[in-house]
Amino acid sequence: MKYIIEHMEQGFSEWVTLEYAQIIRDLGASNLILSSLPSETEESDIPQKLRELGLQWTTKPLTQIREEFPELPELEKQRVCLLDPRAKGDLETADSSKFDYFVFGGILGDHPPRDRTRELMTAYPDLLIGKRLGDKQMTTDTAIRTTQLIIEGQIPFEKIKFIDYPEFRFSKNEATEMPFRYVLDAQGRPILPEGMLDLIKKDSEQSLDDIL
Ligand SMILES: C[S@@+](CC[C@H](N)C(=O)[O-])C[C@H]1O[C@@H](n2cnc3c(N)ncnc32)[C@H](O)[C@@H]1O
């Protein structure tokens, strides 16, 4: 199964880099393509961490990724699924035989969500079929993790254990609530990309400094 992230942010923030790094670890580098990077992008613009993990990237849009990666299966109409928080139907285990590709917006979570994923449906209207992963906004790595559990793990959405809007407490006075849904691990803790907790802590200290 192939996963595509249509990159829709400016450059690579630390947050995006940590998310993409975790997605490569979860899927294996050969199963992920990062598409639609700005046309002037060079290998040196890709964060070192992602290069070391073997990120496959292209400036080509979704519809032309095979020009860069000819070994990939054809992108057939109706066999490419866009994970879209505004889609009508939820992704199901039976969808594993209906799609060859799963596409995600490389968009940072925002609160309230701005529905930028819809731009992808507008950009590729004939190609994509939209499916939802429940009614809460997930981070891109969580959306991919959930898709992998449903499609490759054959675990129905209702059986996956999630936590909504977890609070991460760093000290008595310092806590940050994240406005997203996360998958829980076997110990009942939200699964975050490696290094993300430190980044959340750093960001919360920074915003505290800005206030004081
Ligand atoms: C952080 S979300 C971005 C949501 C965003 N606020 C927007 O403007 O659409 C990044 C990507 O994860 C996927 N995603 C997140 N939550 C989802 C959900 N509940 N259902 C389907 N896809 C979801 C979508 O592909 C989305 O583009």
Side-chain angles (χ1 to χ4, degrees), residues 8 19 82-86 103-110 112-118 120 131-140 143-144 180:
M8 294 170 76
E19 281 197 1
L82 173 68
L83 282 303
D84 177 1
R86 292 282 167 246
V103 179
F104 302 80
I107 307 169
L108 279 179
D110 42 15
R114 278 184 294 154
D115 282 347
R116 289 170 59 209
T117 312
R118 278 273 113 175
L120 295 174
K131 291 280 174 181
R132 207 184 62 150
L133 297 164
D135 63 358
K136 299 277 183 313
Q137 181 178 199
M138 299 172 172
T139 58
T140 309
I144 293 187
F180 309 115

PDB file of all heavy atoms in Angstrom, residues 8 19 82-86 103-110 112-118 120 131-140 143-144 180, ligand 1:
ATOM      1  N   MET A   8       1.709  20.882   1.901  1.00  0.00           N
ATOM      2  CA  MET A   8       0.979  22.140   1.701  1.00  0.00           C
ATOM      3  C   MET A   8       1.453  23.247   2.623  1.00  0.00           C
ATOM      4  O   MET A   8       0.799  24.279   2.747  1.00  0.00           O
ATOM      5  CB  MET A   8      -0.530  21.886   1.896  1.00  0.00           C
ATOM      6  CG  MET A   8      -1.102  20.962   0.828  1.00  0.00           C
ATOM      7  SD  MET A   8      -2.789  20.420   1.172  1.00  0.00           S
ATOM      8  CE  MET A   8      -3.730  21.875   0.756  1.00  0.00           C
ATOM      9  N   GLU A  19       7.072  14.891  12.492  1.00  0.00           N
ATOM     10  CA  GLU A  19       5.935  14.080  12.028  1.00  0.00           C
ATOM     11  C   GLU A  19       6.339  13.210  10.829  1.00  0.00           C
ATOM     12  O   GLU A  19       6.076  12.006  10.815  1.00  0.00           O
ATOM     13  CB  GLU A  19       4.767  14.980  11.597  1.00  0.00           C
ATOM     14  CG  GLU A  19       3.958  15.514  12.742  1.00  0.00           C
ATOM     15  CD  GLU A  19       2.584  16.045  12.305  1.00  0.00           C
ATOM     16  OE1 GLU A  19       2.252  15.987  11.107  1.00  0.00           O
ATOM     17  OE2 GLU A  19       1.849  16.517  13.184  1.00  0.00           O
ATOM     18  N   LEU A  82      -8.501  10.006  -0.728  1.00  0.00           N
ATOM     19  CA  LEU A  82      -8.066  11.182   0.038  1.00  0.00           C
ATOM     20  C   LEU A  82      -8.668  11.098   1.436  1.00  0.00           C
ATOM     21  O   LEU A  82      -9.897  10.996   1.585  1.00  0.00           O
ATOM     22  CB  LEU A  82      -8.543  12.476  -0.634  1.00  0.00           C
ATOM     23  CG  LEU A  82      -8.279  13.758   0.188  1.00  0.00           C
ATOM     24  CD1 LEU A  82      -6.786  14.053   0.279  1.00  0.00           C
ATOM     25  CD2 LEU A  82      -9.014  14.957  -0.415  1.00  0.00           C
ATOM     26  N   LEU A  83      -7.834  11.118   2.460  1.00  0.00           N
ATOM     27  CA  LEU A  83      -8.350  11.163   3.829  1.00  0.00           C
ATOM     28  C   LEU A  83      -8.705  12.611   4.114  1.00  0.00           C
ATOM     29  O   LEU A  83      -7.830  13.482   4.163  1.00  0.00           O
ATOM     30  CB  LEU A  83      -7.301  10.620   4.801  1.00  0.00           C
ATOM     31  CG  LEU A  83      -7.200   9.097   4.825  1.00  0.00           C
ATOM     32  CD1 LEU A  83      -8.559   8.493   5.174  1.00  0.00           C
ATOM     33  CD2 LEU A  83      -6.708   8.499   3.520  1.00  0.00           C
ATOM     34  N   ASP A  84     -10.018  12.821   4.236  1.00  0.00           N
ATOM     35  CA  ASP A  84     -10.546  14.181   4.271  1.00  0.00           C
ATOM     36  C   ASP A  84     -11.534  14.307   5.440  1.00  0.00           C
ATOM     37  O   ASP A  84     -12.557  13.608   5.469  1.00  0.00           O
ATOM     38  CB  ASP A  84     -11.264  14.435   2.928  1.00  0.00           C
ATOM     39  CG  ASP A  84     -11.920  15.803   2.887  1.00  0.00           C
ATOM     40  OD1 ASP A  84     -11.820  16.566   3.868  1.00  0.00           O
ATOM     41  OD2 ASP A  84     -12.537  16.105   1.836  1.00  0.00           O
ATOM     42  N   PRO A  85     -11.221  15.175   6.410  1.00  0.00           N
ATOM     43  CA  PRO A  85     -12.109  15.314   7.583  1.00  0.00           C
ATOM     44  C   PRO A  85     -13.538  15.715   7.213  1.00  0.00           C
ATOM     45  O   PRO A  85     -14.432  15.577   8.027  1.00  0.00           O
ATOM     46  CB  PRO A  85     -11.445  16.428   8.403  1.00  0.00           C
ATOM     47  CG  PRO A  85     -10.034  16.511   7.922  1.00  0.00           C
ATOM     48  CD  PRO A  85     -10.038  16.039   6.505  1.00  0.00           C
ATOM     49  N   ARG A  86     -13.755  16.213   5.992  1.00  0.00           N
ATOM     50  CA  ARG A  86     -15.111  16.621   5.589  1.00  0.00           C
ATOM     51  C   ARG A  86     -15.785  15.592   4.674  1.00  0.00           C
ATOM     52  O   ARG A  86     -16.876  15.848   4.152  1.00  0.00           O
ATOM     53  CB  ARG A  86     -15.070  17.980   4.863  1.00  0.00           C
ATOM     54  CG  ARG A  86     -14.702  19.124   5.753  1.00  0.00           C
ATOM     55  CD  ARG A  86     -15.880  19.567   6.626  1.00  0.00           C
ATOM     56  NE  ARG A  86     -15.412  20.453   7.685  1.00  0.00           N
ATOM     57  CZ  ARG A  86     -15.438  20.166   8.972  1.00  0.00           C
ATOM     58  NH1 ARG A  86     -15.915  19.020   9.409  1.00  0.00           N
ATOM     59  NH2 ARG A  86     -14.978  21.023   9.863  1.00  0.00           N
ATOM     60  N   VAL A 103      -3.996   9.275   0.295  1.00  0.00           N
ATOM     61  CA  VAL A 103      -3.407  10.615   0.185  1.00  0.00           C
ATOM     62  C   VAL A 103      -3.810  11.467   1.393  1.00  0.00           C
ATOM     63  O   VAL A 103      -4.980  11.427   1.822  1.00  0.00           O
ATOM     64  CB  VAL A 103      -3.900  11.307  -1.113  1.00  0.00           C
ATOM     65  CG1 VAL A 103      -3.322  12.711  -1.234  1.00  0.00           C
ATOM     66  CG2 VAL A 103      -3.538  10.463  -2.333  1.00  0.00           C
ATOM     67  N   PHE A 104      -2.866  12.229   1.910  1.00  0.00           N
ATOM     68  CA  PHE A 104      -3.076  13.069   3.098  1.00  0.00           C
ATOM     69  C   PHE A 104      -2.579  14.474   2.802  1.00  0.00           C
ATOM     70  O   PHE A 104      -1.635  14.662   2.031  1.00  0.00           O
ATOM     71  CB  PHE A 104      -2.269  12.511   4.288  1.00  0.00           C
ATOM     72  CG  PHE A 104      -2.635  11.086   4.606  1.00  0.00           C
ATOM     73  CD1 PHE A 104      -2.106  10.045   3.855  1.00  0.00           C
ATOM     74  CD2 PHE A 104      -3.527  10.799   5.632  1.00  0.00           C
ATOM     75  CE1 PHE A 104      -2.468   8.726   4.126  1.00  0.00           C
ATOM     76  CE2 PHE A 104      -3.894   9.496   5.909  1.00  0.00           C
ATOM     77  CZ  PHE A 104      -3.367   8.458   5.145  1.00  0.00           C
ATOM     78  N   GLY A 105      -3.203  15.442   3.463  1.00  0.00           N
ATOM     79  CA  GLY A 105      -2.691  16.802   3.358  1.00  0.00           C
ATOM     80  C   GLY A 105      -1.511  16.965   4.293  1.00  0.00           C
ATOM     81  O   GLY A 105      -1.618  16.648   5.475  1.00  0.00           O
ATOM     82  N   GLY A 106      -0.411  17.436   3.759  1.00  0.00           N
ATOM     83  CA  GLY A 106       0.749  17.767   4.613  1.00  0.00           C
ATOM     84  C   GLY A 106       0.502  19.140   5.188  1.00  0.00           C
ATOM     85  O   GLY A 106       1.098  20.137   4.777  1.00  0.00           O
ATOM     86  N   ILE A 107      -0.466  19.177   6.136  1.00  0.00           N
ATOM     87  CA  ILE A 107      -0.956  20.445   6.674  1.00  0.00           C
ATOM     88  C   ILE A 107      -0.791  20.378   8.184  1.00  0.00           C
ATOM     89  O   ILE A 107      -1.163  19.375   8.794  1.00  0.00           O
ATOM     90  CB  ILE A 107      -2.478  20.603   6.385  1.00  0.00           C
ATOM     91  CG1 ILE A 107      -2.768  20.418   4.898  1.00  0.00           C
ATOM     92  CG2 ILE A 107      -2.993  21.923   6.903  1.00  0.00           C
ATOM     93  CD1 ILE A 107      -4.263  20.293   4.594  1.00  0.00           C
ATOM     94  N   LEU A 108      -0.307  21.451   8.775  1.00  0.00           N
ATOM     95  CA  LEU A 108      -0.234  21.464  10.242  1.00  0.00           C
ATOM     96  C   LEU A 108      -1.642  21.575  10.798  1.00  0.00           C
ATOM     97  O   LEU A 108      -2.492  22.254  10.218  1.00  0.00           O
ATOM     98  CB  LEU A 108       0.584  22.657  10.703  1.00  0.00           C
ATOM     99  CG  LEU A 108       2.093  22.472  10.636  1.00  0.00           C
ATOM    100  CD1 LEU A 108       2.784  23.729  11.101  1.00  0.00           C
ATOM    101  CD2 LEU A 108       2.535  21.280  11.481  1.00  0.00           C
ATOM    102  N   GLY A 109      -1.869  20.915  11.901  1.00  0.00           N
ATOM    103  CA  GLY A 109      -3.170  21.026  12.544  1.00  0.00           C
ATOM    104  C   GLY A 109      -3.426  22.472  12.935  1.00  0.00           C
ATOM    105  O   GLY A 109      -2.495  23.181  13.320  1.00  0.00           O
ATOM    106  N   ASP A 110      -4.652  22.930  12.776  1.00  0.00           N
ATOM    107  CA  ASP A 110      -4.975  24.269  13.248  1.00  0.00           C
ATOM    108  C   ASP A 110      -6.295  24.201  13.998  1.00  0.00           C
ATOM    109  O   ASP A 110      -7.072  23.269  13.832  1.00  0.00           O
ATOM    110  CB  ASP A 110      -5.049  25.288  12.099  1.00  0.00           C
ATOM    111  CG  ASP A 110      -5.768  24.745  10.878  1.00  0.00           C
ATOM    112  OD1 ASP A 110      -6.458  23.711  10.986  1.00  0.00           O
ATOM    113  OD2 ASP A 110      -5.656  25.363   9.811  1.00  0.00           O
ATOM    114  N   PRO A 112      -9.595  26.700  15.203  1.00  0.00           N
ATOM    115  CA  PRO A 112     -10.388  25.637  14.592  1.00  0.00           C
ATOM    116  C   PRO A 112      -9.845  25.248  13.207  1.00  0.00           C
ATOM    117  O   PRO A 112      -9.210  26.080  12.550  1.00  0.00           O
ATOM    118  CB  PRO A 112     -11.768  26.283  14.464  1.00  0.00           C
ATOM    119  CG  PRO A 112     -11.517  27.752  14.436  1.00  0.00           C
ATOM    120  CD  PRO A 112     -10.286  27.997  15.222  1.00  0.00           C
ATOM    121  N   PRO A 113     -10.110  23.996  12.771  1.00  0.00           N
ATOM    122  CA  PRO A 113      -9.561  23.533  11.499  1.00  0.00           C
ATOM    123  C   PRO A 113     -10.050  24.382  10.325  1.00  0.00           C
ATOM    124  O   PRO A 113     -11.206  24.776  10.297  1.00  0.00           O
ATOM    125  CB  PRO A 113     -10.100  22.096  11.376  1.00  0.00           C
ATOM    126  CG  PRO A 113     -10.636  21.736  12.703  1.00  0.00           C
ATOM    127  CD  PRO A 113     -10.950  22.994  13.431  1.00  0.00           C
ATOM    128  N   ARG A 114      -9.124  24.649   9.380  1.00  0.00           N
ATOM    129  CA  ARG A 114      -9.505  25.516   8.266  1.00  0.00           C
ATOM    130  C   ARG A 114      -9.955  24.746   7.026  1.00  0.00           C
ATOM    131  O   ARG A 114     -10.203  25.332   5.975  1.00  0.00           O
ATOM    132  CB  ARG A 114      -8.331  26.427   7.891  1.00  0.00           C
ATOM    133  CG  ARG A 114      -8.258  27.649   8.809  1.00  0.00           C
ATOM    134  CD  ARG A 114      -7.167  28.589   8.360  1.00  0.00           C
ATOM    135  NE  ARG A 114      -5.851  27.978   8.508  1.00  0.00           N
ATOM    136  CZ  ARG A 114      -4.789  28.316   7.776  1.00  0.00           C
ATOM    137  NH1 ARG A 114      -4.888  29.229   6.847  1.00  0.00           N
ATOM    138  NH2 ARG A 114      -3.626  27.722   8.002  1.00  0.00           N
ATOM    139  N   ASP A 115      -9.981  23.418   7.113  1.00  0.00           N
ATOM    140  CA  ASP A 115     -10.464  22.607   5.984  1.00  0.00           C
ATOM    141  C   ASP A 115      -9.638  22.756   4.725  1.00  0.00           C
ATOM    142  O   ASP A 115     -10.176  22.764   3.625  1.00  0.00           O
ATOM    143  CB  ASP A 115     -11.912  22.981   5.630  1.00  0.00           C
ATOM    144  CG  ASP A 115     -12.888  22.362   6.590  1.00  0.00           C
ATOM    145  OD1 ASP A 115     -12.475  21.475   7.352  1.00  0.00           O
ATOM    146  OD2 ASP A 115     -14.055  22.774   6.573  1.00  0.00           O
ATOM    147  N   ARG A 116      -8.329  22.866   4.880  1.00  0.00           N
ATOM    148  CA  ARG A 116      -7.497  23.024   3.682  1.00  0.00           C
ATOM    149  C   ARG A 116      -7.391  21.724   2.890  1.00  0.00           C
ATOM    150  O   ARG A 116      -7.029  21.735   1.709  1.00  0.00           O
ATOM    151  CB  ARG A 116      -6.115  23.547   4.067  1.00  0.00           C
ATOM    152  CG  ARG A 116      -6.189  25.005   4.505  1.00  0.00           C
ATOM    153  CD  ARG A 116      -4.892  25.467   5.108  1.00  0.00           C
ATOM    154  NE  ARG A 116      -3.796  25.328   4.175  1.00  0.00           N
ATOM    155  CZ  ARG A 116      -2.521  25.107   4.555  1.00  0.00           C
ATOM    156  NH1 ARG A 116      -2.221  24.998   5.832  1.00  0.00           N
ATOM    157  NH2 ARG A 116      -1.576  25.006   3.659  1.00  0.00           N
ATOM    158  N   THR A 117      -7.723  20.595   3.533  1.00  0.00           N
ATOM    159  CA  THR A 117      -7.678  19.317   2.811  1.00  0.00           C
ATOM    160  C   THR A 117      -8.605  19.368   1.590  1.00  0.00           C
ATOM    161  O   THR A 117      -8.326  18.742   0.564  1.00  0.00           O
ATOM    162  CB  THR A 117      -8.101  18.164   3.750  1.00  0.00           C
ATOM    163  OG1 THR A 117      -7.385  18.291   4.969  1.00  0.00           O
ATOM    164  CG2 THR A 117      -7.825  16.807   3.139  1.00  0.00           C
ATOM    165  N   ARG A 118      -9.682  20.123   1.709  1.00  0.00           N
ATOM    166  CA  ARG A 118     -10.649  20.269   0.601  1.00  0.00           C
ATOM    167  C   ARG A 118      -9.984  20.772  -0.678  1.00  0.00           C
ATOM    168  O   ARG A 118     -10.423  20.462  -1.787  1.00  0.00           O
ATOM    169  CB  ARG A 118     -11.755  21.266   0.995  1.00  0.00           C
ATOM    170  CG  ARG A 118     -12.841  20.658   1.836  1.00  0.00           C
ATOM    171  CD  ARG A 118     -13.907  20.046   0.994  1.00  0.00           C
ATOM    172  NE  ARG A 118     -13.935  18.595   1.136  1.00  0.00           N
ATOM    173  CZ  ARG A 118     -14.852  17.824   0.575  1.00  0.00           C
ATOM    174  NH1 ARG A 118     -15.810  18.343  -0.147  1.00  0.00           N
ATOM    175  NH2 ARG A 118     -14.798  16.519   0.715  1.00  0.00           N
ATOM    176  N   LEU A 120      -7.365  19.839  -1.922  1.00  0.00           N
ATOM    177  CA  LEU A 120      -6.854  18.695  -2.698  1.00  0.00           C
ATOM    178  C   LEU A 120      -7.972  18.072  -3.521  1.00  0.00           C
ATOM    179  O   LEU A 120      -7.777  17.693  -4.679  1.00  0.00           O
ATOM    180  CB  LEU A 120      -6.235  17.650  -1.767  1.00  0.00           C
ATOM    181  CG  LEU A 120      -4.986  18.108  -1.021  1.00  0.00           C
ATOM    182  CD1 LEU A 120      -4.541  17.048  -0.032  1.00  0.00           C
ATOM    183  CD2 LEU A 120      -3.868  18.376  -2.027  1.00  0.00           C
ATOM    184  N   LYS A 131     -12.541   9.919   2.112  1.00  0.00           N
ATOM    185  CA  LYS A 131     -12.994   9.115   3.266  1.00  0.00           C
ATOM    186  C   LYS A 131     -12.565   9.838   4.533  1.00  0.00           C
ATOM    187  O   LYS A 131     -11.500  10.463   4.584  1.00  0.00           O
ATOM    188  CB  LYS A 131     -12.343   7.729   3.255  1.00  0.00           C
ATOM    189  CG  LYS A 131     -12.821   6.832   2.126  1.00  0.00           C
ATOM    190  CD  LYS A 131     -14.139   6.195   2.439  1.00  0.00           C
ATOM    191  CE  LYS A 131     -14.670   5.410   1.250  1.00  0.00           C
ATOM    192  NZ  LYS A 131     -15.941   4.792   1.494  1.00  0.00           N
ATOM    193  N   ARG A 132     -13.388   9.690   5.564  1.00  0.00           N
ATOM    194  CA  ARG A 132     -13.127  10.370   6.823  1.00  0.00           C
ATOM    195  C   ARG A 132     -12.591   9.390   7.855  1.00  0.00           C
ATOM    196  O   ARG A 132     -12.815   8.176   7.735  1.00  0.00           O
ATOM    197  CB  ARG A 132     -14.465  10.952   7.302  1.00  0.00           C
ATOM    198  CG  ARG A 132     -14.404  12.170   8.170  1.00  0.00           C
ATOM    199  CD  ARG A 132     -15.801  12.529   8.609  1.00  0.00           C
ATOM    200  NE  ARG A 132     -16.365  11.447   9.401  1.00  0.00           N
ATOM    201  CZ  ARG A 132     -17.250  11.609  10.379  1.00  0.00           C
ATOM    202  NH1 ARG A 132     -17.724  12.797  10.656  1.00  0.00           N
ATOM    203  NH2 ARG A 132     -17.705  10.581  11.065  1.00  0.00           N
ATOM    204  N   LEU A 133     -11.889   9.888   8.841  1.00  0.00           N
ATOM    205  CA  LEU A 133     -11.428   9.059   9.971  1.00  0.00           C
ATOM    206  C   LEU A 133     -12.070   9.619  11.232  1.00  0.00           C
ATOM    207  O   LEU A 133     -11.399  10.208  12.084  1.00  0.00           O
ATOM    208  CB  LEU A 133      -9.894   9.123  10.077  1.00  0.00           C
ATOM    209  CG  LEU A 133      -9.090   8.578   8.903  1.00  0.00           C
ATOM    210  CD1 LEU A 133      -7.641   9.047   8.972  1.00  0.00           C
ATOM    211  CD2 LEU A 133      -9.138   7.045   8.876  1.00  0.00           C
ATOM    212  N   GLY A 134     -13.382   9.531  11.305  1.00  0.00           N
ATOM    213  CA  GLY A 134     -14.077  10.077  12.466  1.00  0.00           C
ATOM    214  C   GLY A 134     -14.183  11.590  12.389  1.00  0.00           C
ATOM    215  O   GLY A 134     -13.718  12.220  11.433  1.00  0.00           O
ATOM    216  N   ASP A 135     -14.798  12.169  13.441  1.00  0.00           N
ATOM    217  CA  ASP A 135     -15.155  13.589  13.373  1.00  0.00           C
ATOM    218  C   ASP A 135     -14.197  14.516  14.107  1.00  0.00           C
ATOM    219  O   ASP A 135     -14.513  15.668  14.348  1.00  0.00           O
ATOM    220  CB  ASP A 135     -16.588  13.785  13.893  1.00  0.00           C
ATOM    221  CG  ASP A 135     -16.704  13.377  15.361  1.00  0.00           C
ATOM    222  OD1 ASP A 135     -15.691  12.921  15.939  1.00  0.00           O
ATOM    223  OD2 ASP A 135     -17.795  13.516  15.935  1.00  0.00           O
ATOM    224  N   LYS A 136     -13.033  14.002  14.500  1.00  0.00           N
ATOM    225  CA  LYS A 136     -12.068  14.869  15.191  1.00  0.00           C
ATOM    226  C   LYS A 136     -10.812  15.030  14.331  1.00  0.00           C
ATOM    227  O   LYS A 136     -10.398  14.103  13.631  1.00  0.00           O
ATOM    228  CB  LYS A 136     -11.645  14.236  16.532  1.00  0.00           C
ATOM    229  CG  LYS A 136     -12.776  14.020  17.507  1.00  0.00           C
ATOM    230  CD  LYS A 136     -13.088  15.282  18.281  1.00  0.00           C
ATOM    231  CE  LYS A 136     -14.170  15.121  19.320  1.00  0.00           C
ATOM    232  NZ  LYS A 136     -15.385  14.426  18.898  1.00  0.00           N
ATOM    233  N   GLN A 137     -10.209  16.197  14.435  1.00  0.00           N
ATOM    234  CA  GLN A 137      -8.979  16.457  13.688  1.00  0.00           C
ATOM    235  C   GLN A 137      -7.815  15.670  14.282  1.00  0.00           C
ATOM    236  O   GLN A 137      -7.612  15.673  15.497  1.00  0.00           O
ATOM    237  CB  GLN A 137      -8.670  17.956  13.714  1.00  0.00           C
ATOM    238  CG  GLN A 137      -7.421  18.305  12.938  1.00  0.00           C
ATOM    239  CD  GLN A 137      -7.105  19.798  12.896  1.00  0.00           C
ATOM    240  OE1 GLN A 137      -6.355  20.235  12.052  1.00  0.00           O
ATOM    241  NE2 GLN A 137      -7.660  20.582  13.794  1.00  0.00           N
ATOM    242  N   MET A 138      -7.059  14.990  13.411  1.00  0.00           N
ATOM    243  CA  MET A 138      -5.864  14.259  13.844  1.00  0.00           C
ATOM    244  C   MET A 138      -4.637  14.942  13.249  1.00  0.00           C
ATOM    245  O   MET A 138      -4.748  15.599  12.209  1.00  0.00           O
ATOM    246  CB  MET A 138      -5.893  12.819  13.305  1.00  0.00           C
ATOM    247  CG  MET A 138      -7.055  12.002  13.775  1.00  0.00           C
ATOM    248  SD  MET A 138      -7.075  10.415  12.885  1.00  0.00           S
ATOM    249  CE  MET A 138      -8.367   9.576  13.793  1.00  0.00           C
ATOM    250  N   THR A 139      -3.481  14.728  13.866  1.00  0.00           N
ATOM    251  CA  THR A 139      -2.239  15.164  13.232  1.00  0.00           C
ATOM    252  C   THR A 139      -2.019  14.258  12.015  1.00  0.00           C
ATOM    253  O   THR A 139      -2.606  13.166  11.922  1.00  0.00           O
ATOM    254  CB  THR A 139      -1.055  15.012  14.204  1.00  0.00           C
ATOM    255  OG1 THR A 139      -0.991  13.634  14.609  1.00  0.00           O
ATOM    256  CG2 THR A 139      -1.242  15.887  15.435  1.00  0.00           C
ATOM    257  N   THR A 140      -1.161  14.690  11.083  1.00  0.00           N
ATOM    258  CA  THR A 140      -0.962  13.888   9.866  1.00  0.00           C
ATOM    259  C   THR A 140      -0.425  12.497  10.223  1.00  0.00           C
ATOM    260  O   THR A 140      -0.887  11.490   9.670  1.00  0.00           O
ATOM    261  CB  THR A 140      -0.009  14.612   8.890  1.00  0.00           C
ATOM    262  OG1 THR A 140      -0.472  15.955   8.711  1.00  0.00           O
ATOM    263  CG2 THR A 140       0.040  13.918   7.538  1.00  0.00           C
ATOM    264  N   ALA A 143      -3.273  10.412  11.500  1.00  0.00           N
ATOM    265  CA  ALA A 143      -4.195  10.016  10.424  1.00  0.00           C
ATOM    266  C   ALA A 143      -3.597   8.854   9.627  1.00  0.00           C
ATOM    267  O   ALA A 143      -4.298   7.896   9.279  1.00  0.00           O
ATOM    268  CB  ALA A 143      -4.477  11.212   9.519  1.00  0.00           C
ATOM    269  N   ILE A 144      -2.296   8.904   9.385  1.00  0.00           N
ATOM    270  CA  ILE A 144      -1.650   7.803   8.643  1.00  0.00           C
ATOM    271  C   ILE A 144      -1.615   6.539   9.500  1.00  0.00           C
ATOM    272  O   ILE A 144      -1.913   5.434   9.025  1.00  0.00           O
ATOM    273  CB  ILE A 144      -0.242   8.220   8.163  1.00  0.00           C
ATOM    274  CG1 ILE A 144      -0.394   9.326   7.108  1.00  0.00           C
ATOM    275  CG2 ILE A 144       0.537   7.020   7.631  1.00  0.00           C
ATOM    276  CD1 ILE A 144       0.876   9.747   6.407  1.00  0.00           C
ATOM    277  N   PHE A 180      -6.122  17.771  19.286  1.00  0.00           N
ATOM    278  CA  PHE A 180      -6.208  16.714  18.269  1.00  0.00           C
ATOM    279  C   PHE A 180      -6.576  15.378  18.914  1.00  0.00           C
ATOM    280  O   PHE A 180      -6.478  15.210  20.125  1.00  0.00           O
ATOM    281  CB  PHE A 180      -4.846  16.537  17.563  1.00  0.00           C
ATOM    282  CG  PHE A 180      -4.269  17.818  17.056  1.00  0.00           C
ATOM    283  CD1 PHE A 180      -3.084  18.319  17.583  1.00  0.00           C
ATOM    284  CD2 PHE A 180      -4.915  18.544  16.067  1.00  0.00           C
ATOM    285  CE1 PHE A 180      -2.557  19.517  17.133  1.00  0.00           C
ATOM    286  CE2 PHE A 180      -4.388  19.742  15.612  1.00  0.00           C
ATOM    287  CZ  PHE A 180      -3.206  20.229  16.146  1.00  0.00           C
TER     288      PHE A 180
HETATM  289  C1  LIG B   1      -3.628  18.101  10.708  1.00  0.00           C
HETATM  290  S1  LIG B   1      -4.703  17.467   9.491  1.00  0.00           S
HETATM  291  C2  LIG B   1      -5.186  18.939   8.703  1.00  0.00           C
HETATM  292  C3  LIG B   1      -6.589  19.239   8.951  1.00  0.00           C
HETATM  293  C4  LIG B   1      -6.725  20.692   8.645  1.00  0.00           C
HETATM  294  N1  LIG B   1      -6.981  21.535   9.712  1.00  0.00           N
HETATM  295  C5  LIG B   1      -7.382  21.032   7.347  1.00  0.00           C
HETATM  296  O1  LIG B   1      -7.236  22.216   7.049  1.00  0.00           O
HETATM  297  O2  LIG B   1      -7.923  20.218   6.619  1.00  0.00           O
HETATM  298  C6  LIG B   1      -3.589  16.791   8.292  1.00  0.00           C
HETATM  299  C7  LIG B   1      -4.171  15.707   7.399  1.00  0.00           C
HETATM  300  O3  LIG B   1      -4.537  14.571   8.177  1.00  0.00           O
HETATM  301  C8  LIG B   1      -5.692  13.939   7.622  1.00  0.00           C
HETATM  302  N2  LIG B   1      -6.739  13.952   8.651  1.00  0.00           N
HETATM  303  C9  LIG B   1      -6.675  14.473   9.904  1.00  0.00           C
HETATM  304  N3  LIG B   1      -7.802  14.237  10.595  1.00  0.00           N
HETATM  305  C10 LIG B   1      -8.632  13.549   9.768  1.00  0.00           C
HETATM  306  C11 LIG B   1      -9.952  13.010   9.899  1.00  0.00           C
HETATM  307  N4  LIG B   1     -10.649  13.122  11.015  1.00  0.00           N
HETATM  308  N5  LIG B   1     -10.477  12.368   8.816  1.00  0.00           N
HETATM  309  C12 LIG B   1      -9.783  12.235   7.671  1.00  0.00           C
HETATM  310  N6  LIG B   1      -8.525  12.717   7.490  1.00  0.00           N
HETATM  311  C13 LIG B   1      -7.946  13.359   8.523  1.00  0.00           C
HETATM  312  C14 LIG B   1      -6.084  14.727   6.376  1.00  0.00           C
HETATM  313  O4  LIG B   1      -5.534  14.111   5.221  1.00  0.00           O
HETATM  314  C15 LIG B   1      -5.435  16.092   6.646  1.00  0.00           C
HETATM  315  O5  LIG B   1      -5.154  16.785   5.448  1.00  0.00           O
END
